[in-house]
């Protein structure tokens, strides 16, 4: 709950910066998957190094008290991961100030955007399946309600949902209420159903031992009601060569994810093409958010949320004030670890259902860009097929045999492993390189 509160606090401030001084798009900032993969690669390497002594035998590291948070090697591990987040924020800030982000976005044609956006959506399928597997009935119920409200009843208008216009003094026709709340209403309804089932002691959710240890009672009741996070409370970020390598991978992956999110948001809201200066400002604000997150000691920076952007496409409610209200809510939750811990009571199956609905929009948006290219061309067919296939194959290969990637220098190994485990980087790099080098 402490880490979650600090992350929410940084994300709320970063969202305000993004919507006011950054790209100006209604984008919620969250710790994305592109931060998670390098952080896991770095932490797994540090844990492996700390769990063996000089003789090569395992050394147990236990928490001395039931309520302790970060001790011993865990504190050093968290500080080094926070150092990687700090490095990623500095690199993102440099990419935005130098204008490289806007330059790269201008050279991303349909043959780059189509596979990249599609892979951004497909890259979450394993996480969505894992979350849904706790209870497929709950996940399917949420998906059924979301699809019904946003697609089948998308034009349904309720007469009491009308308000007077400020300029003309007349009454505007009622808005398509069910489409506007096509994510919120199913989410709230399914959470109520899960709460009722839990109150009736019906075993509706299947959790393994590892998830059972992360129970809400153990993590929330010991957290304080009010604690304002500040830099250096858990120690300053630790900057090492390993943290530098992981930070570079975080910055590259999240920058690609953010540029794709900017394009995706503009596309879903039917807005004009993103100017280069807006892209550069947006990346600068994300860099500042990641700097704040690293100083606060969180294991993840801030990046534009694909799920919230796709939810905007479903609801067609692209309002910056609504996003700023959510940013204010994140800041309030970030100052209360106990309230932030309440978010852990949301069932995993609900998360899985939301991911299935929202990330499907990203896949479809990527496919829609094929209409602007000659997809019958053998060159274009090869670029799309090769980039998408390798983006799915290489992380799978490295996930099963990570030891095969060994250059002899640990920081370089961590950099390559962190980059090659991110499908967005592989798709964006391969499609951008082939599109701008292969003639045709």
């Amino acid at each position: 709950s402490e880490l979650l509160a600090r992350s929410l606090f940084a994300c709320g401030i970063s969202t305000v910066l993004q919507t006011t001084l950054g790209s100006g798009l209604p984008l919620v900032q969250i710790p994305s998957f592109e931060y998670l993969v390098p952080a896991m690669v770095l932490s797994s390497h540090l844990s492996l190094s700390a769990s063996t002594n000089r003789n090569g035998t395992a050394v147990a590291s236990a928490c001395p008290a039931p309520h302790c948070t970060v001790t011993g090697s865990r504190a050093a591990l968290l500080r080094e991961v926070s150092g990687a987040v700090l490095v990623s924020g500095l690199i993102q800030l440099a990419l935005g100030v130098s204008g490289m982000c806007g330059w790269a976005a201008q050279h991303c044609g349909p043959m780059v955007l189509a596979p990249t956006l599609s892979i951004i959506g497909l890259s979450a399928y394993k996480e969505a399946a894992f979350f849904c597997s706790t209870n497929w009935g709950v996940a399917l119920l949420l998906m059924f309600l979301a699809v019904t409200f946003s697609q089948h009843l998308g034009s349904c208008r309720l007469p009491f949902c009308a308000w007077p216009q400020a300029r003309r003094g007349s009454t505007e026709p009622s808005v398509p209420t069910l489409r506007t709340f096509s994510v919120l209403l199913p989410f709230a309804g399914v959470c109520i159903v899960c709460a009722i089932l839990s109150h009736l002691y019906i075993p509706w959710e299947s959790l393994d031992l590892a998830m059972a240890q992360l129970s809400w009672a153990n993590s929330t009741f010991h957290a304080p009601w009010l604690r304002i996070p500040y830099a250096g409370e858990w120690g300053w970020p630790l900057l090492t060569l390993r943290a530098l390598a992981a930070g570079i991978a975080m910055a590259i992956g999240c920058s690609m994810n953010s540029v794709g999110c900017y394009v995706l948001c503009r596309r879903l809201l039917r807005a004009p093409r993103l100017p280069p200066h807006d892209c550069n400002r947006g990346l600068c604000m994300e860099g500042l958010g990641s700097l704040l997150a690293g100083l606060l000691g969180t294991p993840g920076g801030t990046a534009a949320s694909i799920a919230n952007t796709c939810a905007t496409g479903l609801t067609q409610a692209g309002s910056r004030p609504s996003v700023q209200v959510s940013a204010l809510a994140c800041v309030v939750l970030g100052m209360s670890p106990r309230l932030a811990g309440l978010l852990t009571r949301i069932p995993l199956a609900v998360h899985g259902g939301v991911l299935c609905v929202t990330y499907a929009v990203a896949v479809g948006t990527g496919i829609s860009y094929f209409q602007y290219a000659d997809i019958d061309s053998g060159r274009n067919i090869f670029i799309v097929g090769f980039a998408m296939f390798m983006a799915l194959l290489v992380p799978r290969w490295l996930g099963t045999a990570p030891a095969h990637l060994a250059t002899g220098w640990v920081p370089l190994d961590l950099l390559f492993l962190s980059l090659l485990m991110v499908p967005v980087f592989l798709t964006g790099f391969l499609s951008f390189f082939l599109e701008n080098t292969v003639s045709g």
Side-chain angles (χ1 to χ4, degrees):
S1 58
E2 293 280 352
L3 289 175
L4 179 61
R6 289 172 175 269
S7 181
L8 287 172
F9 186 81
C11 290
I13 295 178
S14 180
T15 301
V16 173
L17 293 175
Q18 182 68 255
T19 54
T20 55
L21 303 177
S23 62
L25 296 172
L27 295 173
V28 178
Q29 304 293 300
I30 64 166
S32 67
F33 289 136
E34 284 68 33
Y35 278 103
L36 178 63
V37 173
M40 291 179 64
V41 171
L42 177 60
S43 61
S44 62
H45 173 77
L46 296 177
S47 299
L48 183 62
S49 300
S51 61
T52 56
N53 59 13
R54 295 181 180 179
N55 295 328
T57 58
V59 177
S61 176
C63 188
H67 59 276
C68 69
T69 53
V70 181
T71 59
S73 62
R74 298 183 185 181
L77 187 150
L78 185 59
R79 287 177 58 201
E80 195 155 353
V81 175
S82 299
V85 174
L86 191 68
V87 170
S88 71
L90 291 173
I91 295 176
Q92 282 184 299
L93 193 60
L95 290 175
V97 172
S98 63
M100 291 185 62
C101 176
W103 174 84
Q106 289 297 106
H107 289 77
C108 291
M111 298 310 300
V112 179
L113 296 176
T116 302
L117 293 179
S118 299
I119 286 295
I120 285 177
L122 293 174
S123 61
Y125 79 95
K126 287 191 292 185
E127 289 77 11
F130 169 72
F131 292 156
C132 291
S133 63
T134 58
N135 191 293
W136 282 102
V138 172
L140 290 175
L141 176 61
L142 189 144
M143 286 186 275
F144 172 76
L145 293 176
V147 171
T148 302
F149 288 173
S150 63
Q151 306 301 321
H152 297 90
L153 301 178
S155 59
C156 181
R157 298 175 181 269
L158 301 180
F160 55 84
C161 293
W163 51 81
Q165 291 182 346
R167 296 181 180 178
R168 303 178 185 176
S170 59
T171 301
E172 186 181 4
S174 57
V175 298
T177 311
L178 294 181
R179 187 189 68 186
T180 305
F181 298 100
S182 59
V183 178
L184 181 61
L185 290 179
F187 178 84
V190 173
C191 285
I192 292 174
V193 171
C194 294
I196 294 174
L197 294 177
S198 298
H199 182 71
L200 298 176
Y201 299 101
I202 298 177
W204 58 273
E205 189 173 23
S206 58
L207 292 176
D208 56 9
L209 182 60
M211 294 303 300
Q213 293 175 353
L214 300 175
S215 63
W216 174 62
N218 293 333
S219 62
T220 303
F221 290 150
H222 298 294
W225 280 107
L226 180 63
R227 175 178 288 176
I228 299 177
Y230 59 90
E233 183 179 5
W234 290 348
W236 295 100
L238 189 60
L239 298 178
T240 62
L241 288 177
R242 295 172 300 192
L244 177 63
I248 293 174
M250 288 178 179
I252 295 175
C254 289
S255 298
M256 289 184 173
N257 175 83
S258 297
V259 173
C261 197
Y262 300 157
V263 175
L264 180 64
C265 186
R266 291 271 182 171
R267 175 74 171 169
L268 292 174
L269 295 179
R270 301 180 180 89
R273 184 180 176 89
L274 185 70
H277 53 84
D278 284 354
C279 185
N280 293 326
R281 287 201 310 268
L283 202 62
C284 286
M285 295 303 106
E286 289 189 15
L288 291 177
S290 297
L291 283 176
L292 176 62
L295 291 175
L296 292 178
T298 63
T302 60
S305 170
I306 294 292
N308 282 277
T309 303
C310 295
T312 301
L314 288 173
T315 61
Q316 287 297 302
S319 171
R320 281 193 299 175
S322 64
V323 173
Q324 291 167 350
V325 169
S326 70
L328 179 62
C330 287
V331 172
V332 172
L333 289 173
M335 293 187 294
S336 178
R338 185 167 295 191
L339 289 179
L342 293 176
L343 297 179
T344 62
R345 290 296 291 169
I346 300 175
L348 291 180
V350 175
H351 288 291
V354 172
L355 287 179
C356 290
V357 174
T358 54
Y359 274 75
V361 177
V363 178
T365 306
I367 294 175
S368 69
Y369 272 95
F370 286 126
Q371 63 180 310
Y372 302 113
D374 182 14
I375 197 58
D376 290 332
S377 168
R379 166 192 180 273
N380 293 344
I381 291 175
F382 174 78
I383 291 175
V384 172
F386 183 75
M388 296 183 69
F389 185 79
M390 295 303 293
L392 297 175
L393 181 144
V394 174
R396 179 76 174 181
W397 166 57
L398 292 177
T400 56
H404 290 177
L405 183 62
T407 62
W409 191 37
V410 173
L412 191 60
D413 295 343
L414 293 177
L415 175 61
F416 286 155
L417 191 60
S418 299
L419 286 176
L420 297 178
M421 288 287 288
V422 179
V424 175
F425 167 76
L426 289 169
T427 312
F429 173 77
L430 291 175
S431 59
F432 184 87
F433 175 77
L434 296 175
E435 167 70 7
N436 290 278
T437 56
V438 178
S439 61

